[in-house]
Amino acid sequence: MSSLSTHHNRIRIKPLISCPHCRHGFATDQILFISEAPDLLGDTKLGSSEQLRFLPTRFALDGAALDSREIACHNLACPNCHLPIPRSLLSTSNFCISIVGAPASGKTYFLTSMVWQLRKTMPQYFCMNFTDADPTMNKQIREYEATQFEGGGDPNLLVAIEKTEVQGDTYNNTFIDGLQTTLVQPFSYIISPMPDYPFPKNTERIAQTVCMYDNAGESFLPGADNIQSVTQHLAASDAILFLFDPTQDLRFKSACKQPVNDPQMNSSETKNIRRSKVNQSTVLTEMIMRIRAHKRLPVNEKITIPLIIVLTKLDAWSQLLHLNRPLGYHLWKPVANNSIHVFNTLRVEQFSAISRRLLLDLIPEFVGTAEANAENVVYLPVSAAGTAPELGDPDSGGKQPLLFRPSKIEPIWVEIPFLQAQIMAGKYCVPIPKNK
């Protein structure tokens, strides 16, 4: 009998689980527990300061695993890397999404805005909860949200999110097969139907544990991949969001004829702003090469993982799309006599076609690289802030930081790439038109 069968006799247990850190697959009876006795320290893979991981042999009457001090333990760990895993993985499907882009493309701002908006949009329009699967794993992004949208209590204070580094709190060190390995820390969430969800027969199928991966842009530069690569999650992802920053491309900026009050679009100021030293098409090519290598695909075989090209900082270059409606309106529509909305996939496809046409006109080689190497590509514009940043103190040293006032931030369409990624991967969490 599985060590978890008694404790979880009220839920349906999956026969096989995939670790969100190392991607190792294992049966439920191999899951390790994390000791809770304060003196049970020292783990063979994580170091002397970590709580002991153990395979339980003793259980309380309610089924809880007991450590050697007879203390009930509830937190789980992977048997391969020993890192903590969300308990929701035992009973839900798993959806993994990687966020990729060159340095300074806005990945962390986008991820923070996307999560912030999904927390509101999912219950408000789709009768679905979007909640933390493990608050400890999400500690960093919760801090980002507090900074970006609340300003630490003063929404008029100029703030900035620190760039994601190539090491630090968002990475974990462990030993796998005797080698020290660095793994990116995934952010984990649970998508689950609310009590008023109108399709109760689908609730078990729809519940998901979502894992999101955010690496420093430097991790995707050519030559940065090795046996300890922190980007190996790419090959195991259900979808990839590749962020393309138009404000870093001279052709985009030259095409904008109307004045834009954004320092990223002002040629006299961009030299003082942090930018990628590598062309964004090169980063896309590097990403594709890594996926092929990790999946052992021949060079002429397209990757099947859905690829969403996310065009960031839309508020700075929206004039190029020639939209006939104002930015920020919803891309979903209500269902008659129902509390739920339908995701407007037709409108999303139209935006993708418009964005693709613009890229073809300005940067045809980027579209060529994406579509020559991926079977399923969509192009979606977003703005993580919905407003222009302000330049920081030029005498602070290094590149001038871009600052925002939380009171002015109004994200535009940041949820759309996530919802579209789920549809492209065949893992629907929101309803779409019947003809799709």
Side-chain angles (χ1 to χ4, degrees):
M1 178 183 294
S2 165
S3 61
L4 291 169
S5 59
T6 304
H7 190 59
H8 297 281
N9 58 2
R10 295 182 183 178
I11 61 176
R12 185 176 179 180
I13 303 296
K14 295 193 302 184
L16 194 67
I17 295 170
S18 179
C19 174
H21 301 277
C22 66
R23 312 307 305 164
H24 176 71
F26 51 91
T28 56
D29 59 2
Q30 298 176 305
I31 293 176
L32 301 182
F33 280 74
I34 302 175
S35 64
E36 298 195 15
D39 62 329
L40 290 180
L41 296 176
D43 182 75
T44 56
K45 296 195 174 189
L46 300 179
S48 59
S49 62
E50 288 289 329
Q51 290 289 144
L52 178 71
R53 272 62 168 164
F54 68 99
L55 190 66
T57 57
R58 294 174 56 80
F59 301 89
L61 293 177
D62 63 359
L66 300 176
D67 62 22
S68 60
R69 298 289 188 266
E70 301 296 307
I71 294 178
C73 302
H74 306 94
N75 296 321
L76 312 179
C78 167
N80 184 52
C81 66
H82 287 201
L83 292 170
I85 59 174
R87 182 172 287 271
S88 59
L89 286 176
L90 298 176
S91 56
T92 67
S93 63
N94 193 13
F95 183 78
C96 296
I97 190 165
S98 295
I99 300 172
V100 184
S105 58
K107 293 184 301 300
T108 304
Y109 277 101
F110 165 73
L111 175 59
T112 303
S113 289
M114 179 173 68
V115 170
W116 176 270
Q117 290 298 108
L118 285 170
R119 292 188 197 276
K120 298 189 297 182
T121 299
M122 295 298 284
Q124 185 175 1
Y125 296 103
F126 301 112
C127 300
M128 302 287 289
N129 288 310
F130 187 90
T131 56
D132 293 334
D134 186 328
T136 302
M137 292 176 68
N138 293 351
K139 178 177 179 292
Q140 185 72 68
I141 200 165
R142 278 291 193 177
E143 293 176 358
Y144 291 158
E145 289 181 84
T147 298
Q148 184 167 326
F149 291 96
E150 299 170 0
D154 184 356
N156 293 309
L157 184 70
L158 281 170
V159 300
I161 293 180
E162 295 183 5
K163 71 173 293 292
T164 303
E165 301 293 345
V166 294
Q167 57 185 356
D169 292 342
T170 55
Y171 299 89
N172 295 298
N173 293 315
T174 184
F175 280 86
I176 298 178
D177 297 329
L179 295 174
Q180 183 170 356
T181 304
T182 300
L183 300 172
V184 66
Q185 170 78 38
F187 302 114
S188 61
Y189 304 92
I190 299 173
I191 294 178
S192 59
M194 297 176 69
D196 58 344
Y197 185 71
F199 312 113
K201 292 183 180 180
N202 297 333
T203 55
E204 184 175 317
R205 178 181 63 84
I206 287 177
Q208 299 177 18
T209 297
V210 175
C211 294
M212 301 182 183
Y213 301 85
D214 174 33
N215 289 92
E218 289 79 3
S219 300
F220 300 108
L221 298 182
D225 198 31
N226 53 47
I227 194 170
Q228 295 183 339
S229 171
V230 293
T231 64
Q232 291 186 17
H233 55 80
L234 288 170
S237 292
D238 294 293
I240 295 173
L241 306 184
F242 185 95
L243 271 59
F244 179 88
D245 180 5
T247 71
Q248 294 200 46
D249 192 279
L250 290 177
R251 289 164 288 186
F252 256 88
K253 292 196 287 188
S254 297
C256 290
K257 304 303 181 184
Q258 301 173 20
V260 178
N261 183 26
D262 190 319
Q264 299 168 102
M265 299 292 283
N266 189 327
S267 58
S268 65
E269 296 176 328
T270 51
K271 62 182 180 181
N272 297 319
I273 297 174
R274 179 176 168 265
R275 296 168 55 84
S276 174
K277 296 180 180 179
V278 177
N279 185 281
Q280 295 179 87
S281 294
T282 302
V283 177
L284 177 62
T285 301
E286 174 71 16
M287 180 199 77
I288 292 168
M289 288 177 58
R290 293 190 194 185
I291 294 173
R292 280 208 179 99
H294 293 311
K295 294 179 76 70
R296 296 175 175 83
L297 298 176
V299 294
N300 60 343
E301 184 174 338
K302 291 185 176 183
I303 63 172
T304 57
I305 303 172
L307 175 61
I308 295 92
I309 305 297
V310 181
L311 285 73
T312 60
K313 306 173 185 178
L314 172 61
D315 57 288
W317 55 271
S318 60
Q319 59 180 275
L320 299 180
L321 290 182
H322 304 291
L323 301 175
N324 56 10
R325 297 178 65 180
L327 293 177
Y329 58 88
H330 295 157
L331 295 183
W332 40 82
K333 50 189 178 182
V335 177
N337 304 317
N338 206 311
S339 59
I340 205 167
H341 287 60
V342 172
F343 184 50
N344 194 342
T345 51
L346 177 60
R347 192 66 175 143
V348 171
E349 290 170 4
Q350 291 172 343
F351 272 120
S352 176
I354 294 171
S355 301
R356 179 182 183 274
R357 191 177 309 118
L358 177 61
L359 283 171
L360 269 177
D361 289 341
L362 298 177
I363 316 171
E365 73 276 10
F366 184 85
V367 176
T369 298
E371 297 182 1
N373 293 283
E375 285 187 355
N376 202 354
V377 186
V378 167
Y379 306 85
L380 297 175
V382 307
S383 176
T387 186
E390 300 179 35
L391 283 176
D393 183 2
D395 299 323
S396 60
K399 296 295 184 181
Q400 288 176 282
L402 296 174
L403 305 173
F404 293 90
R405 298 186 191 276
S407 60
K408 293 184 177 181
I409 291 180
E410 295 183 6
I412 300 170
W413 298 331
V414 288
E415 317 97 316
I416 306 305
F418 175 82
L419 299 175
Q420 181 66 23
Q422 291 234 321
I423 291 170
M424 294 169 70
K427 297 188 176 183
Y428 296 57
C429 65
V430 297
I432 63 174
K434 291 184 178 179
N435 59 348
K436 292 298 293 181

